[in-house]
Amino acid sequence: MSLRVVCVAASFACLLSACAGRVPSEGGTFVSAFAAHPAMKPSTVTDADTPVPLTPAAWGRVTNPSSLAGRTIDVNSLEDIALRDKEVVLTFDDGPMPKKTERILATLDEFGVKATFLMVGEMAQAYPQIAREVVSHGHTIGSHTYHHANLRNLSFDGAMAEINKGRKAVSTATREDVGFFRFPYLSDTRRLRRSVASEGMVVLDVQVDSKDYFSESPAAVATRTMHALNAHRRGIILLHDIHVRTAAMLPALLTQMRAEGYKVVTLRRKAPSLLMASVQTATAGDSH
């Protein structure tokens, strides 16, 4: 074997080693969607900026021109979000948050996809410029109460006051109508859901929970999300734009999704007809 061939082979082996990397062990063994081999114990401590390794399939598609962006759905009710196989909706709760939200916006721009941001009212009020930046990038706006309160712990009137205050704060900050809502902790009641609908907002549920609120490495979050996504093969993905780990793992997650043929669907709120609004109001009035 010539010296030239040996050098080329050695260089290729080094490249593969660099791509695979040693995956972070924080938060558990990282062996699925992104790791080419079983995880090894890292020689150094990892943090939320540690790159997330990709599978061999995704390595060859980092510059793949194939689009991750899917169709746009006009939504009048939750039933309108009828996702096809390998269609997902990206949603980000709890922001906006300086440095984290902007970093996530840059990644979404890079991949050409849109998300729905369910903003906490007091956060939007505190950072209105960032809230408006979300709008300027073409994303969909929703609210997530004012204080991120667990509404089941409040009276009905208290819960509705919290919801309406949050919606007003987000609308004022973004200068946009707020057409979507998510219950903090996904803690709802049938009566509250009906009342939110009567107020003209669509309640968003969750099929794929990234659990990025756990103190884990970006790699662990990305693996769990892809595991759940591949199990469901479609659905609304819950993420948060207040964590560094989420911003750090998002490029790898989207690269992997694109490599596996997923499409990111954009939601747009369609104003209900006058007849539908009347029916919703009557239904809410009859609920207990």
Side-chain angles (χ1 to χ4, degrees), residues 138-157:
H139 301 289
T140 301
I141 302 299
S143 65
H144 196 44
T145 73
Y146 186 79
H147 290 297
H148 201 277
N150 187 329
L151 300 182
R152 284 196 176 188
N153 294 336
L154 304 178
S155 67
F156 174 78
D157 289 341

Side-chain angles (χ1 to χ4, degrees), residues 65-188:
S66 143
S67 176
L68 182 62
R71 61 195 175 113
T72 297
I73 300 178
D74 290 324
V75 180
N76 193 35
S77 67
L78 186 60
E79 289 71 27
D80 291 330
I81 310 176
L83 299 176
R84 302 165 185 161
D85 186 47
K86 290 207 165 183
E87 283 189 335
V88 303
V89 176
L90 297 175
T91 64
F92 293 88
D93 286 7
D94 294 359
M97 177 69 76
K99 298 184 180 178
K100 284 84 167 178
T101 300
E102 294 100 321
R103 187 173 171 186
I104 286 170
L105 290 176
T107 298
L108 295 174
D109 281 352
E110 178 184 352
F111 283 82
V113 296
K114 304 302 179 185
T116 299
F117 286 77
L118 291 307
M119 299 182 182
V120 171
E122 62 181 345
M123 297 297 290
Q125 194 172 68
Y127 305 109
Q129 184 174 354
I130 302 175
R132 287 193 290 273
E133 188 175 346
V134 174
V135 174
S136 71
H137 283 251
H139 301 289
T140 301
I141 302 299
S143 65
H144 196 44
T145 73
Y146 186 79
H147 290 297
H148 201 277
N150 187 329
L151 300 182
R152 284 196 176 188
N153 294 336
L154 304 178
S155 67
F156 174 78
D157 289 341
M160 288 306 300
E162 172 74 9
I163 291 170
N164 290 327
K165 184 177 181 180
R167 182 184 191 180
K168 182 178 180 181
V170 172
S171 181
T172 298
T174 60
R175 300 169 185 167
E176 289 281 313
D177 291 334
V178 177
F180 294 91
F181 176 80
R182 178 173 282 145
F183 285 89
Y185 313 105
L186 303 179
S187 183
D188 62 358

